[in-house]
Each structure stands twice: as C-alpha cells, then as structure tokens.
Amino acid sequence: MTCLAGMMVAASGVPSRVVLTDGNALSVSNVNTALQHNTLPVQPSTRVLRWGVEEEVAPYRDKVDVAMCADCLFFDEGRESLVRTLVSVLRVGGKALVVAPARSGTFHSFATLCRPYFTVSMVTEYDRVVHQHVNKCSRDPHYSENLHFPLLMILHKLNNNNNNNNN
C-alpha cells in the first residue's frame, strides 16, 4: 500500500499539513480512494511526484520539514534522483526518514550518496517487541532479513553550498 506511513502520520493529527506522493499516477489514485474511506484529523493532499522532474519538485523547493520514504531504494537508477529531490525539497535542517531493507547493500549505498548533503544516522535495532517478531519471522523459510527487515535512515539536511539547486 503506497503512502500508508504518511496516512498514519496524518491520522496522528500532529502535522499541520501532509502531502502524499508517488511517482505512479495509479498509485496516487489508489491513495485517493483510501483517503475517501477514512476520516483523518489532518486531511492529506496527494500528487504525482517523480524524483528529479523539475516541474513536479519545484513547488516544494525548501518547504518540507519532514519527508518519509518507505521502501523507495529498490531501483538502482532512482537513488540519485531521490537524493537530489530530497536536497531540493527539504528546508535547511529538515529531516528525511528513509525505511528500507538492506537489499544486498542498496541501503548503505544510498547512505553514501546522501553524506555530502545530510548528516546520516541509521537505526538497525529496535525494541524488544520488534526483536521478538523478527525472531518469529526468521523461522519462516521465506523470510530473508536482507529483503524483509526494515532499517531506518535519518537524514538531516546540511546548510552548505552543495545543496543549492542540485536537482
């Protein structure tokens, strides 16, 4: 389900504004259908946003406080565009929360791409409840930590000249 994490943020009622995006118009249409069936304290807006497409990114330039990226690192050709888009849309000091599995190094490769523009921290261990759930899942022969275990990367946008119009 695309944008589920963002819908949960809207359900919390904490942010004043939530924009749910996807690079696929059908996915955005599906999100709109889900939103029609749910009443949230903060009603999100939706739109297609393809990473690196200037006319889609420009309205958000330096305006985003927090961006959430859930399972967005699986296409090799998209990672650099995602970094450029995050650099463009996040305000200085803004934060991106990136959740994805390790996928044979793609998570850590993305972190390397981010380091010139962001401070990067990673969370690879969670609380006892998650640990117990992972132990249970690991008994399933179809479970692969490399493909299924979510890692969290927290990016804080730096204030430096490398960030200017880099998309």
Side-chain angles (χ1 to χ4, degrees):
M1 173 65 191
T2 188
C3 298
L4 183 59
M7 289 175 66
M8 295 301 99
V9 170
S12 76
V14 173
S16 60
R17 182 170 182 227
V18 174
V19 180
L20 303 175
T21 69
D22 195 283
N24 180 298
L26 179 59
S27 293
V28 173
S29 176
N30 291 338
V31 170
N32 284 325
T33 299
L35 290 172
Q36 290 170 4
H37 294 350
N38 292 280
T39 302
L40 302 173
V42 176
Q43 189 58 38
S45 62
T46 61
R47 71 175 291 140
V48 172
L49 185 121
R50 291 170 292 169
W51 307 327
V53 177
E54 177 58 27
E55 57 272 11
E56 294 176 16
V57 173
Y60 299 99
R61 186 175 313 287
D62 298 319
K63 294 182 180 173
V64 175
D65 294 317
V66 179
M68 295 175 58
C69 306
D71 205 20
C72 293
L73 306 180
F74 48 89
F75 292 121
D76 292 338
E77 64 278 2
R79 285 186 222 112
E80 288 184 19
S81 294
L82 177 55
V83 171
R84 287 193 306 274
T85 298
L86 290 172
V87 168
S88 180
V89 302
L90 287 169
R91 66 172 177 73
V92 171
K95 182 187 310 187
L97 305 174
V98 181
V99 178
R103 276 204 187 90
S104 301
T106 60
F107 187 81
H108 294 287
S109 295
F110 184 74
T112 299
L113 290 173
C114 291
R115 284 194 173 92
Y117 313 101
F118 301 95
T119 59
V120 177
S121 58
M122 294 186 211
V123 177
T124 59
E125 293 184 24
Y126 304 101
D127 65 15
R128 180 181 53 81
V129 173
V130 173
H131 182 71
Q132 288 172 343
H133 184 70
V134 169
N135 280 341
K136 181 180 175 183
C137 289
S138 66
R139 289 181 235 133
D140 182 331
H142 302 289
Y143 176 78
S144 166
E145 186 172 313
N146 179 55
L147 297 176
H148 299 117
F149 184 75
L151 304 172
L152 171 62
M153 184 181 311
I154 304 169
L155 306 173
H156 289 271
K157 186 175 176 183
L158 299 172
N159 182 13
N160 66 32
N161 293 333
N162 289 338
N163 292 338
N164 295 333
N165 298 320
N166 230 359
N167 59 336

